[in-house]
Amino acid sequence: MKATKGKTKPGQFRVAAIGENKCTLESYNRRDFYKISLVTAGGPPCQLRYGSLEPIVVDRPALVLLNPLVPHSWTVPERTEPTEGYFCVFDEAFTNAGAPLKALTNRLFTAQRSPVYFPDEVQLHFLHALFVRMRALADTDYTGKDDLFRSQLNLVFHETIGMSPAEETSQDRPSAIAAAFAGLLRGQFPVDLPLQPIQLKKASDFADRLAIHVNHLNTAVHKATGQSTTWHINEQLITEAKSLLGYTGYNIAEIAYGLGFEYQSYFNRFFKKHAGLTPSDFRKNFEKYK
């Protein structure tokens, strides 16, 4: 049994001023879309909760890069004045159309220690000009504007890298690669059933997202953690499977699909191998095993 996954138009890019009715963030809150916000001015401080990080206070102009795989939420107090700035959203198909942009997207959105960057006055002026240009371009009928959007995003990403501490821009250290892998892995959970199954299922999927060779990933993860990439993936899958079996009412076929298994029989074999009993037996005796 498979759930039906929602379809989205490939290669989507949208840009708007914050608060503009024409294009709202609420339309793009699914895991399909990367989100970048440039806050240039606004009301009182707000907090961003992003994955397992401590809440981040945004109390001055900021650039915020949100990975679609990492759960996040904003705590926004009542404002006496509207926030000023811009945001853009885009899907993976949009970045895949340009190799340099794809590599930069993988680098910034998967290895980030924090999604929030605080530009200085010169950097803010440059970023603001880029977003103004993208917003104006969105209203034109120019047939090649997607390529121009990608060029502008490349500049945004390179400017962001310039705002990162030197130790955060090193992609070769095993600890940095292992941390990026762990962030991607944890970011897929908890599973948003039934329409959003996990996207990254094996080591090569994570390597592709990080823009490195799978052997490089496996070596780095093992060196940094003492365990293989596959071991970490399986441990996370089993942990999530037990939680779904014990605390939700989803049937086993829905859980299997949400965890990336094409058939329930594959999930049953995987679960029994790693947990020592079948999913149905685990669910029946959950109080004993929790």
Short mmCIF file of all heavy atoms in Angstrom, two decimals, residues 197-231:
data_model
loop_
_atom_site.label_atom_id
_atom_site.label_comp_id
_atom_site.label_asym_id
_atom_site.label_seq_id
_atom_site.Cartn_x
_atom_site.Cartn_y
_atom_site.Cartn_z
N PRO A 197 7.09 11.38 2.57
CA PRO A 197 8.09 10.38 2.97
C PRO A 197 9.49 10.97 2.93
O PRO A 197 9.73 11.98 2.26
CB PRO A 197 7.91 9.28 1.91
CG PRO A 197 7.40 10.00 0.70
CD PRO A 197 6.50 11.09 1.25
N ILE A 198 10.41 10.35 3.63
CA ILE A 198 11.78 10.84 3.65
C ILE A 198 12.36 10.78 2.24
O ILE A 198 12.02 9.90 1.44
CB ILE A 198 12.65 10.06 4.65
CG1 ILE A 198 12.78 8.59 4.25
CG2 ILE A 198 12.12 10.20 6.06
CD1 ILE A 198 13.79 7.84 5.07
N GLN A 199 13.26 11.69 1.95
CA GLN A 199 13.84 11.79 0.61
C GLN A 199 15.22 11.16 0.53
O GLN A 199 15.65 10.73 -0.54
CB GLN A 199 13.91 13.26 0.19
CG GLN A 199 12.56 13.95 0.16
CD GLN A 199 12.70 15.44 -0.14
OE1 GLN A 199 13.72 15.90 -0.63
NE2 GLN A 199 11.66 16.20 0.17
N LEU A 200 15.94 11.15 1.64
CA LEU A 200 17.32 10.64 1.66
C LEU A 200 17.32 9.30 2.37
O LEU A 200 17.08 9.23 3.57
CB LEU A 200 18.24 11.64 2.36
CG LEU A 200 18.15 13.08 1.85
CD1 LEU A 200 19.04 14.00 2.66
CD2 LEU A 200 18.50 13.15 0.37
N LYS A 201 17.62 8.21 1.63
CA LYS A 201 17.43 6.87 2.17
C LYS A 201 18.72 6.09 2.33
O LYS A 201 18.80 5.18 3.14
CB LYS A 201 16.49 6.08 1.25
CG LYS A 201 15.16 6.76 0.97
CD LYS A 201 14.37 6.04 -0.09
CE LYS A 201 13.13 6.82 -0.48
NZ LYS A 201 12.37 6.14 -1.57
N LYS A 202 19.75 6.42 1.55
CA LYS A 202 21.00 5.68 1.61
C LYS A 202 22.17 6.63 1.54
O LYS A 202 22.00 7.84 1.29
CB LYS A 202 21.06 4.64 0.49
CG LYS A 202 20.81 5.17 -0.89
CD LYS A 202 20.73 4.03 -1.90
CE LYS A 202 20.57 4.53 -3.33
NZ LYS A 202 19.30 5.26 -3.54
N ALA A 203 23.37 6.10 1.78
CA ALA A 203 24.56 6.95 1.87
C ALA A 203 24.75 7.79 0.62
O ALA A 203 25.11 8.97 0.71
CB ALA A 203 25.79 6.08 2.13
N SER A 204 24.51 7.22 -0.54
CA SER A 204 24.72 7.96 -1.78
C SER A 204 23.77 9.15 -1.90
O SER A 204 24.13 10.18 -2.49
CB SER A 204 24.57 7.04 -2.99
OG SER A 204 23.29 6.45 -3.02
N ASP A 205 22.56 9.03 -1.34
CA ASP A 205 21.62 10.16 -1.36
C ASP A 205 22.18 11.33 -0.56
O ASP A 205 22.11 12.49 -0.99
CB ASP A 205 20.27 9.75 -0.76
CG ASP A 205 19.55 8.69 -1.59
OD1 ASP A 205 19.82 8.62 -2.81
OD2 ASP A 205 18.76 7.93 -1.00
N PHE A 206 22.74 11.04 0.61
CA PHE A 206 23.32 12.09 1.44
C PHE A 206 24.56 12.68 0.77
O PHE A 206 24.78 13.89 0.82
CB PHE A 206 23.67 11.55 2.82
CG PHE A 206 22.48 11.22 3.67
CD1 PHE A 206 21.90 9.97 3.65
CD2 PHE A 206 21.92 12.19 4.49
CE1 PHE A 206 20.79 9.67 4.42
CE2 PHE A 206 20.81 11.91 5.27
CZ PHE A 206 20.24 10.64 5.23
N ALA A 207 25.37 11.84 0.15
CA ALA A 207 26.57 12.32 -0.53
C ALA A 207 26.21 13.26 -1.67
O ALA A 207 26.85 14.31 -1.85
CB ALA A 207 27.38 11.13 -1.06
N ASP A 208 25.17 12.91 -2.44
CA ASP A 208 24.73 13.78 -3.52
C ASP A 208 24.29 15.13 -2.99
O ASP A 208 24.60 16.18 -3.56
CB ASP A 208 23.58 13.13 -4.29
CG ASP A 208 24.03 11.95 -5.14
OD1 ASP A 208 25.25 11.81 -5.37
OD2 ASP A 208 23.17 11.15 -5.54
N ARG A 209 23.55 15.13 -1.88
CA ARG A 209 23.05 16.38 -1.32
C ARG A 209 24.21 17.25 -0.79
O ARG A 209 24.15 18.48 -0.84
CB ARG A 209 22.05 16.09 -0.19
CG ARG A 209 21.36 17.31 0.37
CD ARG A 209 20.53 18.03 -0.67
NE ARG A 209 19.45 17.21 -1.17
CZ ARG A 209 18.23 17.19 -0.62
NH1 ARG A 209 17.96 17.94 0.43
NH2 ARG A 209 17.29 16.43 -1.15
N LEU A 210 25.27 16.58 -0.31
CA LEU A 210 26.43 17.31 0.20
C LEU A 210 27.46 17.63 -0.88
O LEU A 210 28.47 18.26 -0.59
CB LEU A 210 27.09 16.49 1.31
CG LEU A 210 26.28 16.33 2.60
CD1 LEU A 210 26.90 15.27 3.50
CD2 LEU A 210 26.17 17.65 3.33
N ALA A 211 27.21 17.15 -2.10
CA ALA A 211 28.09 17.39 -3.24
C ALA A 211 29.50 16.83 -3.01
O ALA A 211 30.50 17.46 -3.33
CB ALA A 211 28.16 18.88 -3.56
N ILE A 212 29.56 15.62 -2.41
CA ILE A 212 30.83 14.93 -2.24
C ILE A 212 30.65 13.49 -2.69
O ILE A 212 29.54 13.00 -2.84
CB ILE A 212 31.32 14.97 -0.78
CG1 ILE A 212 30.30 14.29 0.15
CG2 ILE A 212 31.61 16.39 -0.33
CD1 ILE A 212 30.75 14.21 1.60
N HIS A 213 31.79 12.79 -2.91
CA HIS A 213 31.72 11.38 -3.30
C HIS A 213 31.27 10.55 -2.09
O HIS A 213 31.62 10.85 -0.94
CB HIS A 213 33.08 10.90 -3.79
CG HIS A 213 33.02 9.58 -4.50
ND1 HIS A 213 32.99 8.38 -3.82
CD2 HIS A 213 32.97 9.27 -5.82
CE1 HIS A 213 32.95 7.39 -4.69
NE2 HIS A 213 32.92 7.90 -5.91
N VAL A 214 30.50 9.50 -2.36
CA VAL A 214 29.98 8.68 -1.27
C VAL A 214 31.11 8.06 -0.45
O VAL A 214 30.99 7.91 0.78
CB VAL A 214 29.02 7.59 -1.81
CG1 VAL A 214 29.76 6.58 -2.68
CG2 VAL A 214 28.29 6.89 -0.66
N ASN A 215 32.23 7.70 -1.09
CA ASN A 215 33.36 7.15 -0.33
C ASN A 215 33.94 8.18 0.64
O ASN A 215 34.37 7.85 1.75
CB ASN A 215 34.45 6.65 -1.27
CG ASN A 215 34.01 5.43 -2.06
OD1 ASN A 215 33.04 4.77 -1.71
ND2 ASN A 215 34.70 5.14 -3.15
N HIS A 216 33.97 9.44 0.19
CA HIS A 216 34.45 10.53 1.04
C HIS A 216 33.54 10.70 2.26
O HIS A 216 34.00 10.86 3.39
CB HIS A 216 34.50 11.82 0.23
CG HIS A 216 35.20 12.95 0.92
ND1 HIS A 216 35.25 14.22 0.40
CD2 HIS A 216 35.86 13.02 2.11
CE1 HIS A 216 35.92 15.01 1.22
NE2 HIS A 216 36.30 14.31 2.27
N LEU A 217 32.24 10.64 2.01
CA LEU A 217 31.28 10.73 3.11
C LEU A 217 31.46 9.58 4.09
O LEU A 217 31.52 9.79 5.31
CB LEU A 217 29.85 10.72 2.56
CG LEU A 217 28.73 10.63 3.60
CD1 LEU A 217 28.71 11.85 4.50
CD2 LEU A 217 27.37 10.44 2.92
N ASN A 218 31.51 8.35 3.58
CA ASN A 218 31.62 7.18 4.45
C ASN A 218 32.89 7.23 5.30
O ASN A 218 32.87 6.92 6.50
CB ASN A 218 31.61 5.91 3.61
CG ASN A 218 30.25 5.63 3.00
OD1 ASN A 218 29.23 6.09 3.51
ND2 ASN A 218 30.22 4.88 1.92
N THR A 219 33.99 7.64 4.68
CA THR A 219 35.26 7.72 5.41
C THR A 219 35.19 8.78 6.51
O THR A 219 35.63 8.56 7.64
CB THR A 219 36.41 8.04 4.45
OG1 THR A 219 36.52 7.00 3.47
CG2 THR A 219 37.73 8.16 5.20
N ALA A 220 34.63 9.94 6.17
CA ALA A 220 34.56 11.03 7.14
C ALA A 220 33.66 10.68 8.32
O ALA A 220 34.00 10.94 9.48
CB ALA A 220 34.06 12.30 6.44
N VAL A 221 32.50 10.10 8.03
CA VAL A 221 31.56 9.75 9.10
C VAL A 221 32.16 8.70 10.03
O VAL A 221 32.06 8.80 11.25
CB VAL A 221 30.21 9.26 8.51
CG1 VAL A 221 29.32 8.67 9.59
CG2 VAL A 221 29.49 10.41 7.81
N HIS A 222 32.80 7.70 9.44
CA HIS A 222 33.41 6.65 10.27
C HIS A 222 34.55 7.20 11.11
O HIS A 222 34.70 6.86 12.30
CB HIS A 222 33.90 5.50 9.39
CG HIS A 222 34.28 4.28 10.18
ND1 HIS A 222 35.54 4.11 10.73
CD2 HIS A 222 33.56 3.18 10.56
CE1 HIS A 222 35.58 2.96 11.37
NE2 HIS A 222 34.40 2.39 11.29
N LYS A 223 35.36 8.08 10.52
CA LYS A 223 36.48 8.66 11.26
C LYS A 223 35.99 9.54 12.40
O LYS A 223 36.57 9.56 13.49
CB LYS A 223 37.37 9.47 10.32
CG LYS A 223 38.63 10.00 10.97
CD LYS A 223 39.56 10.64 9.94
CE LYS A 223 40.86 11.12 10.59
NZ LYS A 223 41.79 11.72 9.59
N ALA A 224 34.91 10.27 12.17
CA ALA A 224 34.42 11.22 13.18
C ALA A 224 33.59 10.55 14.26
O ALA A 224 33.57 11.02 15.41
CB ALA A 224 33.61 12.32 12.50
N THR A 225 32.90 9.45 13.93
CA THR A 225 31.95 8.86 14.87
C THR A 225 32.27 7.43 15.29
O THR A 225 31.71 6.94 16.27
CB THR A 225 30.53 8.86 14.27
OG1 THR A 225 30.46 7.92 13.19
CG2 THR A 225 30.14 10.25 13.77
N GLY A 226 33.12 6.75 14.50
CA GLY A 226 33.43 5.36 14.80
C GLY A 226 32.39 4.39 14.28
O GLY A 226 32.51 3.18 14.48
N GLN A 227 31.37 4.89 13.61
CA GLN A 227 30.31 4.06 13.03
C GLN A 227 30.14 4.41 11.56
O GLN A 227 30.48 5.51 11.12
CB GLN A 227 28.98 4.24 13.77
CG GLN A 227 29.00 3.85 15.23
CD GLN A 227 29.08 2.35 15.44
OE1 GLN A 227 28.96 1.57 14.50
NE2 GLN A 227 29.30 1.94 16.68
N SER A 228 29.57 3.48 10.80
CA SER A 228 29.38 3.70 9.38
C SER A 228 28.18 4.61 9.11
O SER A 228 27.30 4.78 9.97
CB SER A 228 29.17 2.37 8.65
OG SER A 228 27.91 1.81 9.00
N THR A 229 28.15 5.17 7.92
CA THR A 229 27.01 5.98 7.50
C THR A 229 25.72 5.16 7.55
O THR A 229 24.69 5.63 8.06
CB THR A 229 27.24 6.50 6.06
OG1 THR A 229 28.52 7.13 5.99
CG2 THR A 229 26.16 7.51 5.67
N THR A 230 25.78 3.95 7.04
CA THR A 230 24.59 3.08 7.03
C THR A 230 24.11 2.78 8.44
O THR A 230 22.90 2.73 8.69
CB THR A 230 24.90 1.78 6.28
OG1 THR A 230 25.28 2.09 4.93
CG2 THR A 230 23.69 0.86 6.25
N TRP A 231 25.03 2.57 9.36
CA TRP A 231 24.65 2.31 10.76
C TRP A 231 23.84 3.49 11.31
O TRP A 231 22.79 3.29 11.94
CB TRP A 231 25.88 2.10 11.62
CG TRP A 231 25.57 1.76 13.05
CD1 TRP A 231 25.39 0.52 13.58
CD2 TRP A 231 25.41 2.71 14.14
NE1 TRP A 231 25.11 0.63 14.93
CE2 TRP A 231 25.11 1.95 15.30
CE3 TRP A 231 25.49 4.08 14.22
CZ2 TRP A 231 24.91 2.54 16.53
CZ3 TRP A 231 25.26 4.68 15.46
CH2 TRP A 231 24.98 3.91 16.59
#
